[in-house]
Amino acid sequence: MTSVKNSFLCSAAMLALIPAASAADLPVKKAAPIEYVRVCSTFGAGFFYIPGTDTCIRLSGRARAEYGYQQNFQRNVGLGDQSMYRGQMRINIDARTQTDYGTLRAFIRTEASSRTGNFMWSGTLQRIAKAFPATGVDQYNRVQQQFDVDKAFIQFAGFTAGRASSFFDFYAHDFEIIGVSHGSDVSATNLLAYTAQMGNGFSATLSMEDPSFRKTGIYSSAVAAAGGPVGSSTAATFAITSSPTPVFLGYGADGTPTGVGFVDVIERNRMPDFVAALRNDGAWGSAQISGAVKDVNTGNYIAGGYLGTAAGAPLTTANALARMRPATEYGWAIQGGVKFNLPMIAPGDTLYLQAAYAEGGTQYTGVQFFTAGYITAARPFQGASFSQYLPDATLNPLTGKLQLVETISAVASYLHYWSPQWRSAFFGSYAEINFARGARFAQGVASVVGGTTIANSPGLPTSPGYAFNETLRDSRQYYVGASLIWSPVRDLDIGLEGIYDNTVLRNGRVIDQNKNPGAVVASLSATGVPLNAGGVPIRTVNNTDTFQIRARMQRDF
C-alpha cells in the first residue's frame, strides 16, 4: 500500500507540473499603456491635453432661446408680424500649443439657429449668405435657417489670419440682448492682421480686411437690374449681375442734356479695407482708437445702353469703350472708445463710451444696425412710415462722380450688478446720415430719361411730389434700451430687454407710407397740402418710432 500510495502522489505531482510548464512556454501579449487625459493649466481653466500631443484644447458652447414682440402698424405685403422666436446653438473649439515663438492658437466657432418672425428674420444675414429663407407661402420672410462659420482663425507670433472679428470694433454691443444700437460690430470677416505688444498694456494692430462685409452700396436711380431676387413661394435665388444707373454724357450748346449712358454701380472687390488700431488695456479698463480706409468704386459704362446723342453723334458701343468709368473714391472712418471698470460701485460694473465718424463708410459707424445692413435703403422697422437711406456714396448723374455719404454715431452703455445674481444694462445711441450737397437735386434732375421715369428717384425738382419724397433725406436716429438679467446658477442667464427707436428726418416732411401706402403727390392745395390724383389730401410725417421687447434664456458651457 505504501508503494502504491507513493506512486499516486508522484503521478499527481507530475500532472500538476505539466500545465505550468506549458503556460510558461506560451508568448505573453503586454497591454498597451493607458494614456489618460491630462488637465492643461497653461492656458487657464477648461483646457486639457490632446492625448499623445503637447497641444491643449478647450471645448465650449451655448444654447439660447428667445422670444420677442415688435410693434407694427400694418399688414401689407411682407409686413404685419409682431411676435418672433429663435433657437440658437454655438460650438467653440480652442486649440493652443506653446512654442519657442509664443502660443500657436487655432480657434473655430460655428453657429446655427432657427429664426421666425419678420424682425427676428434677418435680410442682412441673408444678403451676405449667412442665412437662407423658407419658400412657403406663409413662411417666406418669416422662417429662416442660419448656419455660419463665425470664427476660424490662426494666431501665431503676433499674426491673426482667417475669419475673425474686425479689429476696428470696440464696444460691439457687448452688454445688449437685441444688439442693434449704433456702432461698428462686424463679428465675422476675413482678415490678415499683425498685432505688436508694446508694453504697459499698449498694443498696435494693422489689419487687411475683406471689403465685402463693409459695403452698403452706392445709391443711384437705377433702372431694372440684370437679374435679381425672386421673392416668390417657388424660388429664393439671387442672380444680380449688373445695376444700371443713368449718367448724362452729352450736353447741347444751351446746356440741355443730349445723351444719357448707363453705368453699372455694383462695387467690385478692388482692394482690401485697411484698418489700424491703437489699444491700451489695464486694471482700470480699456481704450482704443481705430481708423480705416476703403475704396468705393463702380463698374464700367454699359456698352449699347444709351439714349439720345453725345455732341450731336449717336452713342455707340465704340463710344462706350472710349468713356472713362467714374473715378474711384476712397472712404475713411475713425472711431474712439473707452471702457471703465467701476468696482467701487459694484463688482463687475462697467461703462462704455464710444463715438465714430465716417465718409463713405456707413458700416464703420454702424448707423444701419437697427434699420438694415448691406442695402442702400430700407424702412427702419416693419411698418415704418418711410424708408431710411444708408449708402456709402451716391452717383451724381449730372457729373458722373461719386459723392461720399457722411455718417456719425455715438453710444454709451453701462452694466450694473444689483447683486452677484442680478444685473442690468442701460444703453443709448445716436446716429446721423448726411448726403453731399446737391446729391438729391441731381437725382431728381435725372428722374426722367427719354420720356421714361426712373424708379427710386425723388422726381423732377419742379414737380409737386419732389418736396414730399423720402429719397436721400438726411436723417438722425435715437436708440435707448435697458435689460434685467437673472443668473440663478453659474453660466445660466434668464433676461428681458426693452428698446425704443426714433428715426427723424432732418429737413422737410414726406408721405406717410403707413397711412397712404403707395401714394404719389399729384398736386398741391392752395395751402401747400399734398394731394393725390383724386385731389384727396395725403398724410405726411417727419419721424417714426417703435419699441421691441425680447426675452432670453441662455446656457453657456
Side-chain angles (χ1 to χ4, degrees):
M1 290 294 295
T2 301
S3 61
V4 173
K5 182 179 180 181
N6 291 338
S7 298
F8 178 78
L9 292 174
C10 289
S11 299
M14 291 179 66
L15 290 172
L17 291 172
I18 290 173
S22 299
D25 293 338
L26 292 175
V28 177
K29 184 177 181 180
K30 295 182 178 180
I34 298 176
E35 188 164 345
Y36 295 97
V37 173
R38 295 177 295 133
V39 172
C40 174
S41 59
T42 306
F43 304 108
F47 284 88
F48 58 88
Y49 284 98
I50 300 175
T53 74
D54 60 352
T55 297
C56 299
I57 192 168
R58 184 177 187 270
L59 305 178
S60 61
R62 75 181 182 200
R64 173 187 288 176
E66 290 184 341
Y67 170 79
Y69 175 85
Q70 168 79 42
Q71 182 188 28
N72 209 328
F73 296 101
Q74 57 177 280
R75 298 187 184 184
N76 289 342
V77 176
L79 307 176
D81 290 353
Q82 291 182 328
S83 62
M84 60 192 81
Y85 313 81
R86 176 165 67 170
Q88 185 182 59
M89 57 150 281
R90 170 184 287 183
I91 298 295
N92 304 315
I93 302 176
D94 192 350
R96 306 187 192 188
T97 306
Q98 196 64 38
T99 74
D100 294 339
Y101 299 91
T103 301
L104 169 61
R105 184 190 186 198
F107 184 82
I108 298 171
R109 172 181 292 169
T110 60
E111 288 186 342
S113 65
S114 178
R115 316 152 60 96
T116 65
N118 208 297
F119 199 83
M120 191 78 78
W121 178 92
S122 173
T124 295
L125 295 182
Q126 201 164 287
R127 281 186 285 274
I128 56 171
K130 293 180 70 172
F132 57 91
T135 58
V137 173
D138 299 315
Q139 289 75 35
Y140 191 80
N141 269 23
R142 287 176 178 81
V143 179
Q144 185 181 64
Q145 304 300 313
Q146 178 188 2
F147 184 83
D148 179 33
V149 180
D150 185 64
K151 301 287 187 296
F153 62 83
I154 299 166
Q155 289 182 317
F156 178 66
F159 287 95
T160 301
R163 190 160 176 78
S165 298
S166 171
F167 281 93
F168 186 87
D169 294 353
F170 185 63
Y171 168 59
H173 302 116
D174 196 9
F175 299 151
E176 301 173 42
I177 291 178
I178 302 172
V180 287
S181 64
H182 304 104
S184 179
D185 185 4
V186 177
S187 62
T189 186
N190 305 307
L191 55 80
L192 174 61
Y194 178 76
T195 300
Q197 301 295 336
M198 299 182 292
N200 296 321
F202 283 94
S203 63
T205 300
L206 292 175
S207 181
M208 185 174 67
E209 302 187 357
D210 192 334
S212 299
F213 301 102
R214 289 290 191 179
K215 294 177 180 178
T216 60
I218 298 170
Y219 175 83
S220 61
S221 300
V223 296
V230 182
S232 70
S233 61
T234 58
T237 58
F238 296 80
I240 299 174
T241 57
S242 67
S243 182
T245 188
V247 176
F248 291 1
L249 299 177
Y251 294 87
D254 61 353
T256 302
T258 59
V260 178
F262 295 91
V263 172
D264 179 5
V265 294
I266 292 179
E267 292 188 80
R268 275 63 178 177
N269 287 352
R270 303 289 295 179
M271 79 172 200
D273 285 11
F274 292 99
V275 172
L278 179 64
R279 185 181 178 100
N280 179 253
D281 296 284
W284 62 274
S286 304
Q288 177 176 295
I289 183 169
S290 50
V293 176
K294 65 187 294 290
D295 76 331
V296 181
N297 65 77
T298 70
N300 294 321
Y301 283 102
I302 298 174
Y306 296 96
L307 298 172
T309 63
L315 290 171
T316 65
T317 299
N319 288 341
L321 297 177
R323 297 286 179 183
M324 296 294 291
R325 62 175 177 81
T328 294
E329 293 290 335
Y330 292 92
W332 60 276
I334 188 169
Q335 177 177 271
V338 61
K339 172 187 175 184
F340 295 104
N341 297 329
L342 303 173
M344 69 289 295
I345 300 176
D349 276 29
T350 309
L351 172 65
Y352 272 103
L353 300 173
Q354 177 181 282
Y357 175 88
E359 292 185 10
T362 304
Q363 284 276 350
Y364 282 102
T365 52
V367 300
Q368 83 297 336
F369 233 100
F370 187 86
T371 302
Y374 311 106
I375 191 171
T376 58
R379 295 194 181 202
F381 56 91
Q382 292 298 309
S385 299
F386 53 81
S387 291
Q388 188 179 28
Y389 284 75
L390 309 163
D392 288 328
T394 61
L395 179 62
N396 190 315
L398 305 181
T399 64
K401 294 182 179 181
L402 290 169
Q403 296 174 292
L404 300 180
V405 176
E406 176 191 72
T407 55
I408 302 167
S409 71
V411 60
S413 184
Y414 175 56
L415 180 67
H416 175 62
Y417 278 82
W418 305 102
S419 72
Q421 290 78 36
W422 291 90
R423 68 185 187 272
S424 291
F426 306 91
F427 42 87
S429 65
Y430 171 82
E432 283 186 12
I433 302 173
N434 301 308
F435 295 95
R437 179 176 298 180
R440 187 170 186 271
F441 176 84
Q443 297 294 338
V445 169
S447 63
V448 177
V449 176
T452 301
T453 300
I454 300 299
N456 304 320
S457 169
L460 291 172
T462 55
S463 67
Y466 180 81
F468 299 96
N469 188 283
E470 65 188 18
T471 303
L472 296 188
R473 292 282 188 174
D474 294 347
S475 65
R476 59 178 177 264
Q477 195 172 58
Y478 304 89
Y479 175 98
V480 294
S483 64
L484 179 63
I485 299 174
W486 178 43
S487 299
V489 297
R490 182 178 178 182
D491 296 328
L492 174 64
D493 288 343
I494 302 172
L496 184 70
E497 182 174 279
I499 63 169
Y500 170 79
D501 166 78
N502 182 240
T503 306
V504 183
L505 299 178
R506 300 189 63 206
N507 47 69
R509 299 178 66 84
V510 298
I511 299 172
D512 185 346
Q513 293 295 336
N514 180 35
K515 303 295 184 183
N516 310 99
V520 176
V521 177
S523 60
L524 299 177
S525 69
T527 58
V529 175
L531 306 173
N532 65 17
V536 178
I538 296 174
R539 292 281 297 273
T540 62
V541 297
N542 70 346
N543 76 91
T544 187
D545 60 359
T546 191
F547 68 88
Q548 183 185 145
I549 299 172
R550 192 178 299 187
R552 169 184 290 178
M553 179 178 289
Q554 179 173 303
R555 165 71 162 102
D556 291 273
F557 59 89

